[in-house]
C-alpha cells in the first residue's frame, strides 16, 4: 500500500467453488479520488466492490481501507466499516421504519449515539439531500430516487472516509436517475473518496478522476477517465463502449 492511498487492493481473488470471479485484482485509490469501475455484466465489478468492506470475503489477496487491513484475521471489521459508506442497487431500507429511523439506526446502534444527537445528524443529512420533508414517511411511500437518496443520507450520516456505490442508479426509472447522479456529483465535489460501479458513462466522463475497465475477473484497463473512455486502447473496451454509449 502506498503511504497516501485511501484504498489499496493487492492480488484480490474471489471464487465460488470452481468459478473464479476475481482473478488477481490490484489497484490503489488516492484520498479524494473518484474511481469509476465499468465493464460487462459478470466481469466481477460488484463482487470486487463488496470485497472492499468484506460483504464478500476474498478467497485471496489483501484489502486495506482507511488504514485498516480488512483481510487481516485480527482486524476489527465492524469498526472499520464505520469509515466505509456503501450504497446498493436496491436501497436496502427497512420498510417498517420511517426515513428518520432508517438514517439514525446505525448512528444509535453502531456509534452508540443518543437519540437526540443521532436525530440532529440525520435531519442535517436529509436536509442536505432535499429530503427534510420526508423524515416521517415510510420508504414504500417514496419514489425510487427518493429512497436511494435516503440510502445515501444514511451512509453520509456515519461520516465515512470512503463511499462505495454499487450500480446506484440501475434500479431507477430513467427520469429519476439524474437526481441521484446529481447527489453523487455534489458529493464528489466535496472531495469524498468514492469508488463507483456504474453503467452511466456520462457520469464517469464528467466526474471520475480514473476509470477501471474490468473483464473476466481482471482489470483490463486502468487510467484517466478521458484516456480510458475517449481513447480506449483495447478492442474489448472499444466493443463495450460501442454498446453502452
Amino acid at each position: 500500500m502506498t503511504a497516501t492511498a485511501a484504498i489499496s487492493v493487492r492480488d484480490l481473488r474471489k471464487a465460488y467453488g470452481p468459478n473464479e470471479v476475481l482473478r488477481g485484482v490490484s489497484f490503489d485509490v488516492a484520498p479524494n479520488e473518484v474511481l469509476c469501475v465499468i465493464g460487462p455484466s459478470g466481469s466481477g465489478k460488484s463482487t470486487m466492490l463488496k470485497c472492499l468492506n468484506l460483504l464478500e470475503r476474498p478467497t485471496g489477496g489483501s484489502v486495506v481501507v482507511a488504514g485498516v487491513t480488512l483481510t487481516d484475521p485480527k482486524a476489527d471489521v465492524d469498526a472499520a466499516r464505520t469509515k466505509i459508506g456503501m450504497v446498493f442497487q436496491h436501497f436496502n431500507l427497512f420498510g417498517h421504519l420511517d426515513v428518520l429511523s432508517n438514517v439514525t439506526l446505525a448512528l444509535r446502534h453502531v456509534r452508540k449515539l443518543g437519540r437526540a444527537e443521532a436525530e440532529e445528524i440525520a435531519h442535517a443529512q436529509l436536509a442536505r439531500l432535499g429530503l427534510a420533508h420526508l423524515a416521517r414517511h415510510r420508504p414504500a411511500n417514496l419514489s425510487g430516487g427518493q429512497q436511494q437518496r435516503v440510502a445515501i443520507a444514511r451512509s453520509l450520516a456515519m461520516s465515512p472516509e470512503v463511499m462505495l456505490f454499487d450500480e446506484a442508479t440501475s434500479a431507477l426509472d430513467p427520469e429519476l436517475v439524474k437526481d441521484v447522479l446529481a447527489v453523487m456529483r455534489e458529493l464528489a465535489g466535496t472531495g469524498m473518496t468514492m469508488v463507483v460501479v456504474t453503467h452511466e458513462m456520462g457520469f464517469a466522463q464528467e466526474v471520475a478522476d480514473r476509470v477501471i475497465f474490468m473483464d473476466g475477473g481482471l482489470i483490463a484497463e486502468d487510467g484517466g477517465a478521458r484516456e480510458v473512455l475517449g481513447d480506449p486502447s483495447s478492442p474489448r473496451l472499444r466493443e463495450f463502449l460501442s454498446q453502452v454509449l
Side-chain angles (χ1 to χ4, degrees):
M1 175 178 175
T2 63
T4 58
I7 300 171
S8 187
V9 175
R10 290 292 177 271
D11 196 28
L12 182 64
R13 297 176 179 274
K14 177 64 179 178
Y16 301 95
N19 181 24
E20 195 171 25
V21 178
L22 298 174
R23 301 191 291 133
V25 171
S26 300
F27 63 92
D28 289 339
V29 182
N32 313 120
E33 185 174 32
V34 178
L35 172 67
C36 282
V37 183
I38 64 172
S41 297
S43 60
K45 308 183 301 298
S46 290
T47 300
M48 181 275 292
L49 196 74
K50 291 172 183 174
C51 286
L52 297 186
N53 66 358
L54 293 201
L55 286 179
E56 293 282 359
R57 186 165 288 276
T59 307
S62 65
V63 176
V64 183
V65 181
V68 178
T69 303
L70 296 179
T71 43
D72 185 336
K74 299 178 181 178
D76 187 341
V77 175
D78 289 337
R81 281 178 177 153
T82 66
K83 302 178 181 180
I84 308 169
M86 186 155 186
V87 179
F88 300 88
Q89 178 178 346
H90 292 294
F91 324 137
N92 287 14
L93 301 177
F94 292 100
H96 67 290
L97 300 177
D98 64 22
V99 164
L100 184 65
S101 297
N102 267 280
V103 178
T104 59
L105 192 65
L107 289 169
R108 297 184 64 199
H109 294 281
V110 178
R111 287 183 53 187
K112 307 299 184 183
L113 301 184
R115 180 186 295 273
E117 185 177 3
E119 289 189 352
E120 181 180 358
I121 293 170
H123 280 300
Q125 291 298 337
L126 291 171
R128 174 184 180 183
L129 273 69
L131 299 166
H133 62 298
L134 299 175
R136 291 301 179 184
H137 288 239
R138 294 287 179 92
N141 297 322
L142 307 183
S143 71
Q146 289 169 334
Q147 290 185 61
Q148 194 60 292
R149 282 187 283 151
V150 171
I152 295 172
R154 177 180 58 187
S155 289
L156 293 178
M158 295 292 285
S159 299
E161 295 182 27
V162 170
M163 285 286 289
L164 311 177
F165 293 86
D166 186 16
E167 302 278 14
T169 61
S170 63
L172 302 178
D173 292 334
E175 65 268 23
L176 303 176
V177 168
K178 68 176 184 178
D179 289 341
V180 173
L181 290 180
V183 170
M184 294 168 64
R185 191 177 293 112
E186 185 272 334
L187 186 59
T190 68
M192 175 64 74
T193 305
M194 298 167 58
V195 181
V196 183
V197 172
T198 185
H199 287 297
E200 298 289 342
M201 295 302 116
F203 174 84
Q205 288 174 321
E206 179 184 354
V207 178
D209 298 299
R210 274 172 57 221
V211 172
I212 281 175
F213 172 62
M214 292 189 66
D215 190 34
L218 295 167
I219 293 177
E221 291 206 33
D222 179 354
R226 182 174 299 180
E227 169 193 350
V228 172
L229 298 176
D231 187 22
S233 61
S234 70
R236 182 69 185 92
L237 178 53
R238 288 196 292 272
E239 177 189 7
F240 172 77
L241 291 176
S242 72
Q243 294 172 347
V244 298
L245 289 177

